[in-house]
Amino acid sequence: MGVAPVVRGYPHLETIRTALTALHRRLPPDALHAYATSVLPADVAFADQDDLHLGAQRVARALVQHLRLPDARMIVGFREMRHAAGVELTAGPEYFIELNDRFRTHRRDIGAALAHEITHVLLHRLGLSFPGTRDNEILTDTATTYLGAGWLLLDAFREDALSSQKLGYLTPEEFGYVLAKRAALFGEDPSPWFTSPQAYPAYTAGAALARRDGQRPPLAAAGRAGRRRYAKDRRDAQEHGGVRADAASLHSPHSPSSPYSFESGPDGLRVSFACPTCCQRIRLAAARGRVRARCGLCRTVLECDT
């Protein structure tokens, strides 16, 4: 019987980008920068000789402190269950986390499982959620990673000829994408912390996509081919007076994943595009040449050529 393959690529990318925008809307820049340093490997290390319950409590406390949840006390238990873990969200002050019994012998990944569940607590306290279980879990994985604990989830991804393991709803490359967005914001390289042989390639693949977000028109860093395509789309929009999006995009022109779109208004043609940091849509007057714009949400200064 073969090993079930791990889903790869970027099937959840649009929801991830929406989640990044939601995080920036809920946490102003000063609050977000409180998470500028990731949780360190030494703080969540779990050796085989450590007491199971005391060790789990210790790691949970470290993650509670990292995620700025000083009032939340985690009680961690183990039982047979279908999923990796679950948390009981109540008004507090105590939260009950249950981990799958397999973590009794896979202790190196307890930190990853706890990171996801404790982020559920943080989002619950922030009043931030998405409708539907799938999208809400993607939001949780994205928040865990963007706020400095999700490198543990990527590091829990391991594959060989006989077995595979992955925690969380994001694919390995999607975890790499969010980690790269975080690295660009805070100047922090998570790659030295990876112990899984599969984690670094997934991170570099996601980082390549994250870099391309900052190299799409109308950003000044766009390549020559992208600039030519953008100029053609802009001319078409000017001639037809309607909404025109980059035809290479398979998404709605107003979705977080669409590279750009044009809109005609009383003040002339405007271009709408996603901020490469927070994915919030930005609108600028088109055909104005080189301009510098500041994202109103994350305050990133962007060099543009509209």
Side-chain angles (χ1 to χ4, degrees):
M1 181 175 179
V3 177
V6 172
V7 176
R8 308 301 293 267
Y10 306 94
H12 313 112
L13 189 57
E14 187 162 342
T15 306
I16 290 168
R17 287 170 170 163
T18 302
L20 290 173
T21 303
L23 280 171
H24 277 272
R25 286 176 178 163
R26 188 62 185 85
L27 294 171
D30 291 345
L32 194 59
H33 276 74
Y35 299 95
T37 302
S38 289
V39 64
L40 297 175
D43 294 335
V44 291
F46 205 126
D48 288 340
Q49 64 269 23
D50 289 348
D51 179 271
L52 178 66
H53 291 89
L54 291 178
Q57 293 286 355
R58 173 182 55 78
V59 173
R61 282 196 300 271
L63 289 163
V64 164
Q65 292 171 1
H66 172 76
L67 290 170
R68 305 298 189 268
L69 282 167
D71 297 327
R73 188 167 80 90
M74 304 294 159
I75 299 174
V76 183
F78 297 81
R79 70 174 178 88
E80 290 187 11
M81 55 196 302
R82 178 183 176 186
H83 300 291
V87 62
E88 180 181 332
L89 294 174
T90 64
E94 294 180 341
Y95 293 87
F96 298 89
I97 297 176
E98 292 182 317
L99 300 182
N100 192 298
D101 261 342
R102 66 185 174 90
F103 288 110
R104 293 178 180 272
T105 54
H106 292 77
R107 299 184 180 189
R108 63 186 291 186
D109 299 320
I110 284 178
L114 288 174
H116 177 94
E117 300 307 324
I118 294 172
T119 302
H120 268 302
V121 176
L122 173 65
L123 295 177
H124 176 69
R125 289 197 166 198
L126 291 175
L128 181 56
S129 64
F130 282 176
T133 299
R134 171 190 174 274
D135 286 359
N136 202 54
E137 292 292 347
I138 292 170
L139 167 65
T140 304
D141 274 347
T142 302
T144 306
T145 306
Y146 203 58
L147 298 181
W151 68 267
L152 290 162
L153 286 161
L154 177 54
D155 198 42
F157 167 51
R158 288 183 290 278
E159 270 186 325
D160 57 37
L162 300 176
S163 64
S164 65
Q165 174 186 280
K166 186 187 76 68
L167 298 180
Y169 278 64
L170 302 190
T171 69
E173 290 79 13
E174 288 170 340
F175 276 119
Y177 175 82
V178 181
L179 278 172
K181 289 287 192 183
R182 172 184 167 78
L185 181 64
F186 297 123
E188 181 185 70
D189 179 11
S191 60
W193 304 328
F194 297 142
T195 61
S196 163
Q198 289 77 35
Y200 184 73
Y203 172 63
T204 56
L209 179 60
R211 282 194 301 273
R212 290 199 291 274
D213 285 355
Q215 298 169 346
R216 300 189 299 186
L219 297 171
R224 183 177 299 178
R227 296 297 311 160
R228 285 199 300 266
R229 182 54 182 266
Y230 174 83
K232 179 182 183 300
D233 288 338
R234 185 180 60 202
R235 285 195 302 270
D236 289 349
Q238 289 169 328
E239 291 172 3
H240 295 94
V243 175
R244 167 84 181 190
D246 178 5
S249 174
L250 300 179
H251 301 276
S252 161
H254 297 290
S255 80
S257 298
S258 178
Y260 53 81
S261 62
F262 295 101
E263 303 170 356
S264 293
D267 299 327
L269 192 68
R270 296 173 68 84
V271 61
S272 169
F273 62 99
C275 170
T277 299
C278 69
C279 303
Q280 167 93 333
R281 301 298 288 189
I282 298 172
R283 288 174 174 80
L284 299 176
R288 295 293 178 90
R290 294 291 289 251
V291 296
R292 178 175 290 178
R294 182 188 292 272
C295 176
L297 181 58
C298 68
R299 303 177 187 171
T300 300
V301 177
L302 303 169
E303 299 289 341
C304 306
D305 188 346
T306 62

PDB file of all heavy atoms in Angstrom, residues 61-94:
ATOM      1  N   ARG A  61       3.465  27.066  27.523  1.00  0.00           N
ATOM      2  CA  ARG A  61       3.704  28.373  28.164  1.00  0.00           C
ATOM      3  C   ARG A  61       4.597  29.250  27.303  1.00  0.00           C
ATOM      4  O   ARG A  61       4.361  30.458  27.180  1.00  0.00           O
ATOM      5  CB  ARG A  61       4.347  28.164  29.540  1.00  0.00           C
ATOM      6  CG  ARG A  61       3.376  27.751  30.619  1.00  0.00           C
ATOM      7  CD  ARG A  61       3.973  27.949  32.016  1.00  0.00           C
ATOM      8  NE  ARG A  61       5.193  27.159  32.187  1.00  0.00           N
ATOM      9  CZ  ARG A  61       5.217  25.902  32.624  1.00  0.00           C
ATOM     10  NH1 ARG A  61       4.080  25.284  32.914  1.00  0.00           N
ATOM     11  NH2 ARG A  61       6.368  25.260  32.775  1.00  0.00           N
ATOM     12  N   ALA A  62       5.622  28.656  26.679  1.00  0.00           N
ATOM     13  CA  ALA A  62       6.509  29.436  25.818  1.00  0.00           C
ATOM     14  C   ALA A  62       5.747  30.015  24.635  1.00  0.00           C
ATOM     15  O   ALA A  62       5.965  31.175  24.245  1.00  0.00           O
ATOM     16  CB  ALA A  62       7.661  28.557  25.322  1.00  0.00           C
ATOM     17  N   LEU A  63       4.819  29.249  24.069  1.00  0.00           N
ATOM     18  CA  LEU A  63       4.041  29.734  22.929  1.00  0.00           C
ATOM     19  C   LEU A  63       3.001  30.756  23.352  1.00  0.00           C
ATOM     20  O   LEU A  63       2.723  31.722  22.626  1.00  0.00           O
ATOM     21  CB  LEU A  63       3.381  28.548  22.218  1.00  0.00           C
ATOM     22  CG  LEU A  63       4.367  27.654  21.448  1.00  0.00           C
ATOM     23  CD1 LEU A  63       3.749  26.312  21.120  1.00  0.00           C
ATOM     24  CD2 LEU A  63       4.843  28.362  20.185  1.00  0.00           C
ATOM     25  N   VAL A  64       2.426  30.565  24.526  1.00  0.00           N
ATOM     26  CA  VAL A  64       1.503  31.563  25.066  1.00  0.00           C
ATOM     27  C   VAL A  64       2.217  32.905  25.221  1.00  0.00           C
ATOM     28  O   VAL A  64       1.695  33.961  24.840  1.00  0.00           O
ATOM     29  CB  VAL A  64       0.925  31.091  26.416  1.00  0.00           C
ATOM     30  CG1 VAL A  64       0.279  32.247  27.171  1.00  0.00           C
ATOM     31  CG2 VAL A  64      -0.093  29.983  26.189  1.00  0.00           C
ATOM     32  N   GLN A  65       3.412  32.876  25.772  1.00  0.00           N
ATOM     33  CA  GLN A  65       4.178  34.114  25.951  1.00  0.00           C
ATOM     34  C   GLN A  65       4.557  34.716  24.608  1.00  0.00           C
ATOM     35  O   GLN A  65       4.468  35.934  24.419  1.00  0.00           O
ATOM     36  CB  GLN A  65       5.420  33.831  26.791  1.00  0.00           C
ATOM     37  CG  GLN A  65       5.114  33.485  28.236  1.00  0.00           C
ATOM     38  CD  GLN A  65       6.331  32.999  29.000  1.00  0.00           C
ATOM     39  OE1 GLN A  65       7.439  32.928  28.469  1.00  0.00           O
ATOM     40  NE2 GLN A  65       6.126  32.634  30.270  1.00  0.00           N
ATOM     41  N   HIS A  66       4.968  33.875  23.662  1.00  0.00           N
ATOM     42  CA  HIS A  66       5.339  34.401  22.356  1.00  0.00           C
ATOM     43  C   HIS A  66       4.167  35.080  21.668  1.00  0.00           C
ATOM     44  O   HIS A  66       4.327  36.142  21.047  1.00  0.00           O
ATOM     45  CB  HIS A  66       5.871  33.280  21.457  1.00  0.00           C
ATOM     46  CG  HIS A  66       6.090  33.740  20.049  1.00  0.00           C
ATOM     47  ND1 HIS A  66       7.175  34.513  19.678  1.00  0.00           N
ATOM     48  CD2 HIS A  66       5.340  33.583  18.925  1.00  0.00           C
ATOM     49  CE1 HIS A  66       7.085  34.806  18.396  1.00  0.00           C
ATOM     50  NE2 HIS A  66       5.989  34.247  17.920  1.00  0.00           N
ATOM     51  N   LEU A  67       2.985  34.476  21.770  1.00  0.00           N
ATOM     52  CA  LEU A  67       1.810  35.019  21.096  1.00  0.00           C
ATOM     53  C   LEU A  67       1.105  36.101  21.917  1.00  0.00           C
ATOM     54  O   LEU A  67       0.002  36.508  21.581  1.00  0.00           O
ATOM     55  CB  LEU A  67       0.848  33.888  20.751  1.00  0.00           C
ATOM     56  CG  LEU A  67       1.356  32.951  19.643  1.00  0.00           C
ATOM     57  CD1 LEU A  67       0.482  31.713  19.522  1.00  0.00           C
ATOM     58  CD2 LEU A  67       1.445  33.679  18.312  1.00  0.00           C
ATOM     59  N   ARG A  68       1.768  36.560  22.967  1.00  0.00           N
ATOM     60  CA  ARG A  68       1.254  37.685  23.773  1.00  0.00           C
ATOM     61  C   ARG A  68      -0.100  37.352  24.379  1.00  0.00           C
ATOM     62  O   ARG A  68      -1.042  38.135  24.310  1.00  0.00           O
ATOM     63  CB  ARG A  68       1.150  38.966  22.921  1.00  0.00           C
ATOM     64  CG  ARG A  68       2.453  39.372  22.223  1.00  0.00           C
ATOM     65  CD  ARG A  68       3.543  39.681  23.249  1.00  0.00           C
ATOM     66  NE  ARG A  68       4.718  40.274  22.648  1.00  0.00           N
ATOM     67  CZ  ARG A  68       5.781  39.612  22.221  1.00  0.00           C
ATOM     68  NH1 ARG A  68       5.802  38.287  22.292  1.00  0.00           N
ATOM     69  NH2 ARG A  68       6.819  40.234  21.712  1.00  0.00           N
ATOM     70  N   LEU A  69      -0.181  36.171  25.005  1.00  0.00           N
ATOM     71  CA  LEU A  69      -1.392  35.745  25.691  1.00  0.00           C
ATOM     72  C   LEU A  69      -1.088  35.511  27.170  1.00  0.00           C
ATOM     73  O   LEU A  69      -1.121  34.384  27.654  1.00  0.00           O
ATOM     74  CB  LEU A  69      -1.931  34.451  25.061  1.00  0.00           C
ATOM     75  CG  LEU A  69      -2.683  34.586  23.749  1.00  0.00           C
ATOM     76  CD1 LEU A  69      -2.872  33.222  23.097  1.00  0.00           C
ATOM     77  CD2 LEU A  69      -4.022  35.263  23.958  1.00  0.00           C
ATOM     78  N   PRO A  70      -0.752  36.563  27.922  1.00  0.00           N
ATOM     79  CA  PRO A  70      -0.307  36.356  29.307  1.00  0.00           C
ATOM     80  C   PRO A  70      -1.382  35.809  30.228  1.00  0.00           C
ATOM     81  O   PRO A  70      -1.069  35.202  31.245  1.00  0.00           O
ATOM     82  CB  PRO A  70       0.124  37.766  29.745  1.00  0.00           C
ATOM     83  CG  PRO A  70      -0.641  38.691  28.864  1.00  0.00           C
ATOM     84  CD  PRO A  70      -0.741  37.988  27.543  1.00  0.00           C
ATOM     85  N   ASP A  71      -2.655  36.017  29.893  1.00  0.00           N
ATOM     86  CA  ASP A  71      -3.715  35.590  30.795  1.00  0.00           C
ATOM     87  C   ASP A  71      -4.233  34.188  30.499  1.00  0.00           C
ATOM     88  O   ASP A  71      -5.131  33.709  31.190  1.00  0.00           O
ATOM     89  CB  ASP A  71      -4.882  36.580  30.723  1.00  0.00           C
ATOM     90  CG  ASP A  71      -4.484  37.962  31.189  1.00  0.00           C
ATOM     91  OD1 ASP A  71      -3.626  38.046  32.087  1.00  0.00           O
ATOM     92  OD2 ASP A  71      -5.021  38.940  30.643  1.00  0.00           O
ATOM     93  N   ALA A  72      -3.711  33.562  29.469  1.00  0.00           N
ATOM     94  CA  ALA A  72      -4.249  32.271  29.069  1.00  0.00           C
ATOM     95  C   ALA A  72      -3.399  31.135  29.626  1.00  0.00           C
ATOM     96  O   ALA A  72      -2.211  31.054  29.358  1.00  0.00           O
ATOM     97  CB  ALA A  72      -4.311  32.181  27.547  1.00  0.00           C
ATOM     98  N   ARG A  73      -3.998  30.266  30.414  1.00  0.00           N
ATOM     99  CA  ARG A  73      -3.304  29.089  30.924  1.00  0.00           C
ATOM    100  C   ARG A  73      -3.789  27.865  30.153  1.00  0.00           C
ATOM    101  O   ARG A  73      -4.992  27.623  30.049  1.00  0.00           O
ATOM    102  CB  ARG A  73      -3.564  28.885  32.409  1.00  0.00           C
ATOM    103  CG  ARG A  73      -2.701  27.774  33.019  1.00  0.00           C
ATOM    104  CD  ARG A  73      -2.752  27.824  34.529  1.00  0.00           C
ATOM    105  NE  ARG A  73      -3.956  27.203  35.056  1.00  0.00           N
ATOM    106  CZ  ARG A  73      -4.044  25.913  35.383  1.00  0.00           C
ATOM    107  NH1 ARG A  73      -3.005  25.128  35.205  1.00  0.00           N
ATOM    108  NH2 ARG A  73      -5.148  25.422  35.885  1.00  0.00           N
ATOM    109  N   MET A  74      -2.835  27.149  29.576  1.00  0.00           N
ATOM    110  CA  MET A  74      -3.167  25.998  28.745  1.00  0.00           C
ATOM    111  C   MET A  74      -3.051  24.701  29.546  1.00  0.00           C
ATOM    112  O   MET A  74      -2.039  24.470  30.210  1.00  0.00           O
ATOM    113  CB  MET A  74      -2.232  25.920  27.537  1.00  0.00           C
ATOM    114  CG  MET A  74      -2.215  27.179  26.686  1.00  0.00           C
ATOM    115  SD  MET A  74      -3.797  27.462  25.884  1.00  0.00           S
ATOM    116  CE  MET A  74      -3.661  29.224  25.553  1.00  0.00           C
ATOM    117  N   ILE A  75      -4.074  23.881  29.461  1.00  0.00           N
ATOM    118  CA  ILE A  75      -4.038  22.541  30.046  1.00  0.00           C
ATOM    119  C   ILE A  75      -4.003  21.563  28.880  1.00  0.00           C
ATOM    120  O   ILE A  75      -4.920  21.525  28.056  1.00  0.00           O
ATOM    121  CB  ILE A  75      -5.259  22.291  30.946  1.00  0.00           C
ATOM    122  CG1 ILE A  75      -5.264  23.297  32.101  1.00  0.00           C
ATOM    123  CG2 ILE A  75      -5.258  20.862  31.472  1.00  0.00           C
ATOM    124  CD1 ILE A  75      -6.489  23.233  32.971  1.00  0.00           C
ATOM    125  N   VAL A  76      -2.929  20.781  28.789  1.00  0.00           N
ATOM    126  CA  VAL A  76      -2.682  19.921  27.632  1.00  0.00           C
ATOM    127  C   VAL A  76      -2.903  18.464  28.020  1.00  0.00           C
ATOM    128  O   VAL A  76      -2.360  17.983  29.022  1.00  0.00           O
ATOM    129  CB  VAL A  76      -1.246  20.108  27.099  1.00  0.00           C
ATOM    130  CG1 VAL A  76      -1.028  19.269  25.844  1.00  0.00           C
ATOM    131  CG2 VAL A  76      -0.972  21.588  26.801  1.00  0.00           C
ATOM    132  N   GLY A  77      -3.718  17.774  27.228  1.00  0.00           N
ATOM    133  CA  GLY A  77      -3.953  16.353  27.425  1.00  0.00           C
ATOM    134  C   GLY A  77      -3.753  15.591  26.125  1.00  0.00           C
ATOM    135  O   GLY A  77      -3.592  16.179  25.054  1.00  0.00           O
ATOM    136  N   PHE A  78      -3.767  14.267  26.216  1.00  0.00           N
ATOM    137  CA  PHE A  78      -3.547  13.406  25.056  1.00  0.00           C
ATOM    138  C   PHE A  78      -4.661  12.369  24.998  1.00  0.00           C
ATOM    139  O   PHE A  78      -5.066  11.817  26.028  1.00  0.00           O
ATOM    140  CB  PHE A  78      -2.191  12.694  25.157  1.00  0.00           C
ATOM    141  CG  PHE A  78      -1.008  13.624  25.156  1.00  0.00           C
ATOM    142  CD1 PHE A  78      -0.618  14.278  26.319  1.00  0.00           C
ATOM    143  CD2 PHE A  78      -0.290  13.851  23.993  1.00  0.00           C
ATOM    144  CE1 PHE A  78       0.463  15.142  26.319  1.00  0.00           C
ATOM    145  CE2 PHE A  78       0.795  14.703  23.983  1.00  0.00           C
ATOM    146  CZ  PHE A  78       1.168  15.348  25.148  1.00  0.00           C
ATOM    147  N   ARG A  79      -5.145  12.091  23.793  1.00  0.00           N
ATOM    148  CA  ARG A  79      -6.155  11.045  23.628  1.00  0.00           C
ATOM    149  C   ARG A  79      -6.186  10.614  22.165  1.00  0.00           C
ATOM    150  O   ARG A  79      -5.663  11.301  21.275  1.00  0.00           O
ATOM    151  CB  ARG A  79      -7.543  11.518  24.057  1.00  0.00           C
ATOM    152  CG  ARG A  79      -8.184  12.563  23.150  1.00  0.00           C
ATOM    153  CD  ARG A  79      -9.608  12.841  23.575  1.00  0.00           C
ATOM    154  NE  ARG A  79     -10.247  13.867  22.757  1.00  0.00           N
ATOM    155  CZ  ARG A  79     -10.899  13.618  21.627  1.00  0.00           C
ATOM    156  NH1 ARG A  79     -10.975  12.374  21.157  1.00  0.00           N
ATOM    157  NH2 ARG A  79     -11.465  14.605  20.948  1.00  0.00           N
ATOM    158  N   GLU A  80      -6.822   9.478  21.909  1.00  0.00           N
ATOM    159  CA  GLU A  80      -7.033   9.034  20.542  1.00  0.00           C
ATOM    160  C   GLU A  80      -8.035   9.966  19.867  1.00  0.00           C
ATOM    161  O   GLU A  80      -9.097  10.249  20.411  1.00  0.00           O
ATOM    162  CB  GLU A  80      -7.556   7.592  20.521  1.00  0.00           C
ATOM    163  CG  GLU A  80      -6.534   6.554  20.949  1.00  0.00           C
ATOM    164  CD  GLU A  80      -7.059   5.147  20.752  1.00  0.00           C
ATOM    165  OE1 GLU A  80      -8.112   5.000  20.090  1.00  0.00           O
ATOM    166  OE2 GLU A  80      -6.444   4.200  21.262  1.00  0.00           O
ATOM    167  N   MET A  81      -7.689  10.455  18.693  1.00  0.00           N
ATOM    168  CA  MET A  81      -8.564  11.362  17.967  1.00  0.00           C
ATOM    169  C   MET A  81      -8.196  11.332  16.492  1.00  0.00           C
ATOM    170  O   MET A  81      -7.097  10.912  16.112  1.00  0.00           O
ATOM    171  CB  MET A  81      -8.464  12.792  18.532  1.00  0.00           C
ATOM    172  CG  MET A  81      -7.062  13.357  18.569  1.00  0.00           C
ATOM    173  SD  MET A  81      -6.891  14.832  19.635  1.00  0.00           S
ATOM    174  CE  MET A  81      -8.080  15.937  18.921  1.00  0.00           C
ATOM    175  N   ARG A  82      -9.139  11.784  15.669  1.00  0.00           N
ATOM    176  CA  ARG A  82      -8.922  11.764  14.220  1.00  0.00           C
ATOM    177  C   ARG A  82      -7.919  12.826  13.799  1.00  0.00           C
ATOM    178  O   ARG A  82      -7.056  12.582  12.956  1.00  0.00           O
ATOM    179  CB  ARG A  82     -10.255  11.970  13.504  1.00  0.00           C
ATOM    180  CG  ARG A  82     -10.134  12.015  11.985  1.00  0.00           C
ATOM    181  CD  ARG A  82     -11.482  12.290  11.341  1.00  0.00           C
ATOM    182  NE  ARG A  82     -11.369  12.436   9.906  1.00  0.00           N
ATOM    183  CZ  ARG A  82     -12.372  12.800   9.113  1.00  0.00           C
ATOM    184  NH1 ARG A  82     -13.564  13.051   9.639  1.00  0.00           N
ATOM    185  NH2 ARG A  82     -12.187  12.918   7.800  1.00  0.00           N
ATOM    186  N   HIS A  83      -8.067  14.017  14.362  1.00  0.00           N
ATOM    187  CA  HIS A  83      -7.216  15.132  13.972  1.00  0.00           C
ATOM    188  C   HIS A  83      -5.957  15.175  14.837  1.00  0.00           C
ATOM    189  O   HIS A  83      -5.833  14.454  15.834  1.00  0.00           O
ATOM    190  CB  HIS A  83      -7.987  16.445  14.083  1.00  0.00           C
ATOM    191  CG  HIS A  83      -9.210  16.486  13.220  1.00  0.00           C
ATOM    192  ND1 HIS A  83      -9.139  16.526  11.848  1.00  0.00           N
ATOM    193  CD2 HIS A  83     -10.528  16.482  13.538  1.00  0.00           C
ATOM    194  CE1 HIS A  83     -10.373  16.546  11.348  1.00  0.00           C
ATOM    195  NE2 HIS A  83     -11.229  16.519  12.351  1.00  0.00           N
ATOM    196  N   ALA A  84      -5.026  16.047  14.442  1.00  0.00           N
ATOM    197  CA  ALA A  84      -3.776  16.154  15.192  1.00  0.00           C
ATOM    198  C   ALA A  84      -3.996  16.739  16.575  1.00  0.00           C
ATOM    199  O   ALA A  84      -3.338  16.346  17.538  1.00  0.00           O
ATOM    200  CB  ALA A  84      -2.768  17.004  14.417  1.00  0.00           C
ATOM    201  N   ALA A  85      -4.925  17.705  16.678  1.00  0.00           N
ATOM    202  CA  ALA A  85      -5.122  18.394  17.960  1.00  0.00           C
ATOM    203  C   ALA A  85      -6.426  19.174  17.915  1.00  0.00           C
ATOM    204  O   ALA A  85      -7.035  19.344  16.850  1.00  0.00           O
ATOM    205  CB  ALA A  85      -3.949  19.337  18.245  1.00  0.00           C
ATOM    206  N   GLY A  86      -6.837  19.650  19.070  1.00  0.00           N
ATOM    207  CA  GLY A  86      -8.017  20.494  19.161  1.00  0.00           C
ATOM    208  C   GLY A  86      -7.947  21.339  20.410  1.00  0.00           C
ATOM    209  O   GLY A  86      -7.245  20.996  21.369  1.00  0.00           O
ATOM    210  N   VAL A  87      -8.671  22.455  20.405  1.00  0.00           N
ATOM    211  CA  VAL A  87      -8.688  23.346  21.561  1.00  0.00           C
ATOM    212  C   VAL A  87     -10.130  23.707  21.872  1.00  0.00           C
ATOM    213  O   VAL A  87     -10.955  23.884  20.975  1.00  0.00           O
ATOM    214  CB  VAL A  87      -7.846  24.620  21.308  1.00  0.00           C
ATOM    215  CG1 VAL A  87      -8.394  25.430  20.149  1.00  0.00           C
ATOM    216  CG2 VAL A  87      -7.754  25.474  22.568  1.00  0.00           C
ATOM    217  N   GLU A  88     -10.413  23.798  23.154  1.00  0.00           N
ATOM    218  CA  GLU A  88     -11.735  24.227  23.609  1.00  0.00           C
ATOM    219  C   GLU A  88     -11.690  25.721  23.864  1.00  0.00           C
ATOM    220  O   GLU A  88     -11.002  26.193  24.778  1.00  0.00           O
ATOM    221  CB  GLU A  88     -12.117  23.477  24.888  1.00  0.00           C
ATOM    222  CG  GLU A  88     -13.487  23.857  25.446  1.00  0.00           C
ATOM    223  CD  GLU A  88     -13.815  23.119  26.721  1.00  0.00           C
ATOM    224  OE1 GLU A  88     -13.305  21.999  26.908  1.00  0.00           O
ATOM    225  OE2 GLU A  88     -14.575  23.677  27.544  1.00  0.00           O
ATOM    226  N   LEU A  89     -12.407  26.466  23.031  1.00  0.00           N
ATOM    227  CA  LEU A  89     -12.399  27.922  23.132  1.00  0.00           C
ATOM    228  C   LEU A  89     -13.537  28.369  24.042  1.00  0.00           C
ATOM    229  O   LEU A  89     -14.714  28.234  23.722  1.00  0.00           O
ATOM    230  CB  LEU A  89     -12.551  28.550  21.744  1.00  0.00           C
ATOM    231  CG  LEU A  89     -11.383  28.308  20.780  1.00  0.00           C
ATOM    232  CD1 LEU A  89     -11.709  28.860  19.398  1.00  0.00           C
ATOM    233  CD2 LEU A  89     -10.112  28.941  21.313  1.00  0.00           C
ATOM    234  N   THR A  90     -13.166  28.893  25.189  1.00  0.00           N
ATOM    235  CA  THR A  90     -14.128  29.411  26.150  1.00  0.00           C
ATOM    236  C   THR A  90     -13.703  30.822  26.533  1.00  0.00           C
ATOM    237  O   THR A  90     -12.769  31.385  25.975  1.00  0.00           O
ATOM    238  CB  THR A  90     -14.178  28.522  27.405  1.00  0.00           C
ATOM    239  OG1 THR A  90     -12.904  28.570  28.065  1.00  0.00           O
ATOM    240  CG2 THR A  90     -14.499  27.082  27.037  1.00  0.00           C
ATOM    241  N   ALA A  91     -14.382  31.387  27.495  1.00  0.00           N
ATOM    242  CA  ALA A  91     -14.039  32.742  27.932  1.00  0.00           C
ATOM    243  C   ALA A  91     -12.737  32.787  28.729  1.00  0.00           C
ATOM    244  O   ALA A  91     -12.234  33.851  29.050  1.00  0.00           O
ATOM    245  CB  ALA A  91     -15.182  33.312  28.780  1.00  0.00           C
ATOM    246  N   GLY A  92     -12.176  31.633  29.046  1.00  0.00           N
ATOM    247  CA  GLY A  92     -10.946  31.597  29.842  1.00  0.00           C
ATOM    248  C   GLY A  92     -11.287  31.618  31.328  1.00  0.00           C
ATOM    249  O   GLY A  92     -12.446  31.524  31.716  1.00  0.00           O
ATOM    250  N   PRO A  93     -10.326  31.731  32.223  1.00  0.00           N
ATOM    251  CA  PRO A  93      -8.899  31.975  31.948  1.00  0.00           C
ATOM    252  C   PRO A  93      -8.117  30.717  31.572  1.00  0.00           C
ATOM    253  O   PRO A  93      -6.933  30.807  31.302  1.00  0.00           O
ATOM    254  CB  PRO A  93      -8.398  32.534  33.273  1.00  0.00           C
ATOM    255  CG  PRO A  93      -9.245  31.848  34.300  1.00  0.00           C
ATOM    256  CD  PRO A  93     -10.608  31.703  33.671  1.00  0.00           C
ATOM    257  N   GLU A  94      -8.757  29.545  31.557  1.00  0.00           N
ATOM    258  CA  GLU A  94      -8.055  28.328  31.209  1.00  0.00           C
ATOM    259  C   GLU A  94      -8.550  27.816  29.857  1.00  0.00           C
ATOM    260  O   GLU A  94      -9.739  27.932  29.537  1.00  0.00           O
ATOM    261  CB  GLU A  94      -8.277  27.250  32.274  1.00  0.00           C
ATOM    262  CG  GLU A  94      -7.668  27.593  33.630  1.00  0.00           C
ATOM    263  CD  GLU A  94      -7.914  26.508  34.653  1.00  0.00           C
ATOM    264  OE1 GLU A  94      -8.834  25.696  34.416  1.00  0.00           O
ATOM    265  OE2 GLU A  94      -7.209  26.459  35.662  1.00  0.00           O
TER     266      GLU A  94
END
